[in-house]
Amino acid sequence: VMDPIRGYTVLLRQVIRRRRALPTQLRSLSVSGVVWKASAEDAPVLQLFTKKDCSLCDDMKDVLAEVREDFPHTLIAVDITDSENRDWFRFYKFDIPVLHLQAKFLAKHRVTTKQLKEALVEASTVEGFLGRPGDPREHKKS
């Protein structure tokens, strides 16, 4: 027969070990990575700042997929909860999804197919995509 206090101590140690392992387990749930890649090497690159279980992010991804055939682009997901993305988390934790085109701010929360098409056309010009106002990073610098 096990001593109840010893049994509780063993159980407590197991819980503590599991809690220490939790960050490693969470990292495996990352949604970072290439979502799709355009066949042309010079195609515009969009970065979607997101996290797991973000329904607005899924909506934005659907809009991106709608224009993909007519406006080929590469889409890269950046999971703001990944440890290496702490700075993005600090800036965007209340604003995801956030969308960058050619590393410049395009939209947060929602984007329409019209806005997206205009930005992708702009990206194909000599000047390239110049960015849009409203980047949450601008408000957090002060």
Side-chain angles (χ1 to χ4, degrees), residues 58 67 80 89 132 137 141:
D58 295 337
V67 303
I80 65 168
F89 179 82
R132 298 289 184 266
R137 292 178 295 176
K141 286 183 179 174

Side-chain angles (χ1 to χ4, degrees), residues 52-100:
K52 187 177 184 312
D53 297 326
C54 170
S55 60
L56 279 177
C57 301
D58 295 337
D59 293 345
M60 189 175 281
K61 206 181 308 179
D62 291 343
V63 174
L64 292 161
E66 282 179 44
V67 303
R68 183 177 171 196
E69 191 173 314
D70 294 331
F71 296 88
H73 58 273
T74 295
L75 178 60
I76 300 171
V78 179
D79 189 329
I80 65 168
T81 64
D82 290 350
S83 60
E84 64 270 16
N85 295 326
R86 280 189 208 114
D87 287 340
W88 292 121
F89 179 82
R90 187 167 49 95
F91 290 125
Y92 292 156
K93 64 185 167 192
F94 300 118
D95 291 303
I96 61 167
V98 174
L99 190 62
H100 285 193

